[in-house]
Amino acid sequence: MREGSGDRARRAAGRRRGSGDAVQELRQRTMAWAVRLRVNPRTVRVQDMDRKWGSCTSSGTVTLAYDLVHRTGDFQDYVIVHELLHLRLPNHGRLFKALLTAHVPGWRELEATAASGPAARWPR
Ligand SMILES: [Zn+2]
């Protein structure tokens, strides 16, 4: 019964129906964090991502999963700060985790919720 393509069609319809505002809010939230963290992403994209919540390239493109619009602000902050910190540090070393803890103190609990269940995924 082609459920997969139905899901994709529904998601696409949702985007057309006016989740544009939610995407704008996500991008604005990201830019506000960029100012706080003193980083300068070249591009912030919001798109469907099935296996992760976000990614960041060395050239400064930050990509966030579209379904973050359905998650809490705390969870959005966790993913946004994670990706933006990669503009300063490419790895997940001790300094990375210390900075993440400084800005999003509850990130370990948020990570635990992201990593459980059949749709487990993490920021990269
Ligand atoms: Zn990462």
Side-chain angles (χ1 to χ4, degrees):
M1 285 290 282
R2 306 184 30 131
E3 277 177 19
S5 65
D7 288 344
R8 270 194 297 279
R10 264 194 299 284
R11 281 209 300 255
R15 276 197 301 279
R16 279 194 300 271
R17 260 202 308 275
S19 323
D21 286 353
V23 169
Q24 273 307 107
E25 277 172 30
L26 198 57
R27 293 164 63 93
Q28 278 164 11
R29 200 178 186 96
T30 305
M31 294 319 293
W33 271 111
V35 170
R36 271 179 81 175
L37 298 172
R38 296 196 183 89
V39 293
N40 191 17
R42 217 162 121 203
T43 315
V44 177
R45 283 196 298 224
V46 179
Q47 64 182 47
D48 283 335
M49 299 179 97
D50 287 335
R51 294 175 198 286
K52 46 194 172 184
W53 286 108
S55 67
C56 180
T57 69
S58 53
S59 61
T61 297
V62 170
T63 307
L64 299 170
Y66 172 76
D67 13 334
L68 279 173
V69 305
H70 303 302
R71 304 294 297 240
T72 63
D74 281 355
F75 190 85
Q76 292 175 359
D77 287 345
Y78 155 57
V79 175
I80 288 167
V81 171
H82 181 121
E83 299 310 337
L84 290 177
L85 284 177
H86 277 317
L87 297 172
R88 286 165 64 174
L89 298 164
N91 53 42
H92 299 139
R94 289 175 68 165
L95 181 55
F96 181 91
K97 285 181 176 151
L99 286 171
L100 196 52
T101 301
H103 293 286
V104 188
W107 71 268
R108 286 177 194 278
E109 288 78 34
L110 294 163
E111 182 182 66
T113 68
S116 65
R121 52 182 171 156
W122 298 262
R124 289 284 179 246

